[in-house]
Amino acid sequence: MMRLTGGLLLVGLALGAVPVSAGDGVPLPTPARGKGTQCVEPTDTMRRYHMDYLLHQRDETVHRGIRGTKYALKDCVECHATPDPRPEVRALTLYGFCKECHDYAAVSIDCFGCHTPVSASSEGGSQ
Amino acid sequence: MSLLTVLYVLLFYAAAVIFVVGLGRKIWQFATVPAPLKIPTTPAPTTRGGVALRIAREVALFESLFKSNRWIWVFAVLFHAGLLLVVVRHLRYFTEPVWGVVTLAQPFGIYGGMAMVVGLLGLWARRAVVDRVRYISSPSDHLMLALLVAIGATGLGMKYVLHTDIVQIKAFTLGLLYFDWRPLPGDPLLLLHLGLVALLMIVFPFSKLLHAPGVFFSPSRNMVDNPRETRHVAPWAAPLDAARDR
């Protein structure tokens, strides 16, 4: 037990000696910035609950025909579509926004099996 | 950096040191403690390869439990196999880029979490319902199950009820590995989950959970059944033997 305590003390001292911002830096996702300054909910809430809002809205729309509420995938695309980072795709898409964090956290997205991630404003041949 | 982040960073470094050093000491003890007698539980393999296979079956399939008690085996497999899937799912927080297999295993990790909790509740019910098991159950038996159930429940709670910012969590865990500390989100379920996991790491080297490394050192499982072909002499007994023969 004495030896264990001694070892802990040593590690504690070593930790204290390491500067707070040591290391090469943690890899972080860099999602593209959307339009405007504020999403439909505060950023912290959107980061945690956007999937629930979209899933709930899907049920509202598909089963009960309710449209035009606060949460709509179409509106996600309108604000968050940016020029696609892949050179062969010349359109405004959600690729640069959703994929960054979803790849980082290994969460697959099934929205775009049916819906388009391409912004309507990119279809007029502006690209 | 907030006080909360600093506290959890220190907690996890301390827990990791206690876990690694404590487990290392324990494994060293298991490996060096004398095993003076040849006591494989028969029928036992008569070759080293056979013994390796026997231990592999014991570790992967819980063979001896299967032979002795089927319903306990079912709950034990539910818990351990579930835990394995959960661990694979959690690898996404420790690797960047995330490995392909880990990405594919994500949904199975959720079912693993449910199986794990069901298995634990079954094993806990055993301690309450089976008279002779209740009689020999000590507080640590119950507390260990409670700890694991609480870890599973808080994890599932974050998946299904109160979400947290998993991108920020991954930055935090990678930060621990890179020594580049990132803020920890302050969601209560997350703090509870991580605190309990740190507690698990700290108590692991002093608890019944040592059956994990211990199963490999169990003399009744890891010995070759060849007492007539080869005389078994424990290392500490060899000098005594040599002195007598002289």
Side-chain angles (χ1 to χ4, degrees):
Chain A
M1 210 52 218
M2 275 304 288
R3 240 187 307 167
L4 195 68
T5 325
L8 277 181
L9 208 69
L10 235 156
V11 170
L13 286 174
L15 280 178
V18 176
V20 173
S21 59
D24 299 335
V26 171
L28 295 169
T30 48
R33 277 198 72 83
K35 288 179 199 156
T37 51
Q38 174 68 59
C39 199
V40 292
E41 297 285 352
T43 307
D44 278 353
T45 312
M46 286 311 289
R47 284 185 179 160
R48 288 168 172 78
Y49 291 101
H50 63 276
M51 65 301 285
D52 290 352
Y53 297 148
L54 285 172
L55 200 63
H56 180 68
Q57 186 59 45
R58 181 200 67 185
D59 291 350
E60 292 283 284
T61 305
V62 176
H63 299 311
R64 305 176 59 195
I66 299 172
R67 289 180 184 275
T69 51
K70 203 165 161 189
Y71 315 113
L73 188 62
K74 206 175 154 203
D75 294 346
C76 300
V77 181
E78 273 323 300
C79 285
H80 288 289
T82 51
D84 197 289
R86 294 164 296 182
E88 71 273 21
V89 180
R90 301 200 299 162
L92 300 176
T93 70
L94 284 179
Y95 197 91
F97 180 69
C98 301
K99 200 172 157 49
E100 277 288 316
C101 295
H102 273 258
D103 278 357
Y104 189 70
V107 181
S108 61
I109 312 175
D110 53 7
C111 302
F112 308 117
C114 306
H115 298 277
T116 177
V118 179
S119 165
S121 53
S122 64
E123 287 171 350
S126 62
Q127 293 287 314
Chain B
M1 210 167 16
S2 69
L3 179 65
L4 188 73
T5 304
V6 175
L7 273 178
Y8 270 78
V9 165
L10 293 178
L11 175 65
F12 269 100
Y13 282 132
V17 169
I18 292 172
F19 180 76
V20 171
V21 174
L23 202 57
R25 282 165 55 101
K26 217 58 202 175
I27 289 174
W28 177 253
Q29 184 191 354
F30 290 159
T32 55
V33 76
L37 303 175
K38 195 78 169 178
I39 50 166
T41 307
T42 53
T46 53
T47 59
R48 283 179 62 85
V51 164
L53 198 64
R54 181 190 204 179
I55 294 182
R57 286 201 309 272
E58 188 65 35
V59 169
L61 307 171
F62 311 161
E63 187 180 35
S64 59
L65 181 59
F66 184 80
K67 286 174 180 168
S68 65
N69 192 317
R70 207 59 50 83
W71 71 265
I72 300 176
W73 178 85
V74 168
F75 287 123
V77 166
L78 272 178
F79 166 64
H80 287 90
L83 181 62
L84 178 65
L85 291 173
V86 167
V87 167
V88 171
R89 179 172 157 94
H90 279 74
L91 283 179
R92 64 176 168 163
Y93 296 117
F94 298 90
T95 51
E96 177 56 33
V98 181
W99 308 334
V101 193
V102 174
T103 307
L104 290 176
Q106 290 302 309
F108 301 103
I110 299 168
Y111 304 136
M114 297 170 185
M116 186 181 126
V117 173
V118 170
L120 286 168
L121 292 178
L123 294 174
W124 208 353
R126 163 178 172 256
R127 295 208 172 268
V129 173
V130 182
D131 279 345
R132 62 186 188 287
V133 178
R134 185 173 60 221
Y135 185 73
I136 60 168
S137 292
S138 62
S140 96
D141 294 321
H142 291 287
L143 287 173
M144 227 16 117
L145 286 162
L147 178 61
L148 291 168
V149 167
I151 290 173
T154 48
L156 289 169
M158 279 185 283
K159 168 66 193 164
Y160 287 106
V161 190
L162 296 168
H163 301 317
T164 180
D165 186 347
I166 59 170
V167 169
Q168 223 184 337
I169 293 166
K170 177 159 180 178
F172 174 79
T173 52
L174 286 180
L176 292 176
L177 303 181
Y178 280 70
F179 291 98
D180 174 20
W181 303 311
R182 298 279 153 180
L184 179 70
D187 305 74
L189 269 185
L190 174 70
L191 298 180
L192 194 56
H193 188 68
L194 293 182
L196 292 171
V197 169
L199 181 61
L200 178 68
M201 290 165 74
I202 291 168
V203 299
F204 196 100
F206 312 99
S207 71
K208 62 186 294 193
L209 303 182
L210 283 168
H211 68 269
V215 64
F216 294 95
F217 298 98
S218 173
S220 60
R221 295 283 176 279
N222 72 7
M223 283 186 162
V224 184
D225 184 16
N226 58 355
R228 293 180 191 276
E229 292 81 355
T230 317
R231 181 147 183 273
H232 177 75
V233 184
W236 57 266
L240 304 178
D241 243 31
R244 188 200 55 197
D245 290 345
R246 228 182 312 112

